[in-house]
Amino acid sequence: MYWAIWVGIVILCLVLQTVYGNIVTICGIKPDFLLVIIIFFAFRRSTFESGIIGFIAGILQDSLSGDILGINAFTKLIMGLIASTIKKMYAENLISILLSIFVLTLVQSLLIFALQSIFVKSVVEISTMNRILLIALYNTVIGILVFPIFHNAKRGEE
């Protein structure tokens, strides 16, 4: 039942992000709901489970985005693994989760651009870097809004 709820949350976020993405766009910037949810999940579950949910979320996002298949799956898998690993250094509180969301958004965005530059031969511009910072800030604000919802969710055993 626990997994069904989290997969349902991932699908809901995916729908929000892809189908209703223009509704939550601010100045052309869309938040990455999936990354925020993966981080919240990773702070509650094992590294292995966090990698699985990250991969599932990423492959679903890849299948709907029309982008290079596997980039989101790979980056979300890595972000799930990193978030689950760093949770051991932090007490779970609002500040540590928001810092994690901000930093992991930056890391994921840079990783995506690095992979795209390898496979698509695109060049990262300064305006892209500003955009990454705005996405990281937007994701952090989303984290503030969803923290009360997930804060008391059941923590898994390692």
Side-chain angles (χ1 to χ4, degrees), residues 138-158:
Y138 199 174
N139 282 353
T140 305
V141 170
I142 298 298
I144 292 169
L145 298 174
V146 298
F147 179 79
I149 298 168
F150 293 105
H151 180 64
N152 293 322
K154 179 183 171 191
R155 291 187 65 104
E157 299 297 322
E158 285 293 320

Side-chain angles (χ1 to χ4, degrees), residues 34-87:
L34 290 174
L35 179 60
V36 173
I37 293 304
I38 289 166
I39 293 169
F40 276 102
F41 182 87
F43 265 70
R44 280 156 190 75
R45 304 303 286 186
S46 72
T47 305
F48 179 75
E49 291 171 319
S50 301
I52 289 173
I53 204 77
F55 180 79
I56 290 169
I59 201 74
L60 289 172
Q61 185 178 9
D62 280 335
S63 65
L64 292 177
S65 70
D67 222 359
I68 298 172
L69 187 63
I71 284 185
N72 287 307
F74 177 72
T75 58
K76 297 255 187 305
L77 164 72
I78 298 298
M79 295 308 105
L81 296 174
I82 292 172
S84 184
T85 302
I86 65 173
K87 77 177 176 197

Side-chain angles (χ1 to χ4, degrees), residues 18-40:
T18 55
V19 178
Y20 297 108
N22 293 332
I23 294 172
V24 294
T25 299
I26 297 175
C27 298
I29 305 294
K30 294 180 185 180
D32 190 346
F33 292 120
L34 290 174
L35 179 60
V36 173
I37 293 304
I38 289 166
I39 293 169
F40 276 102

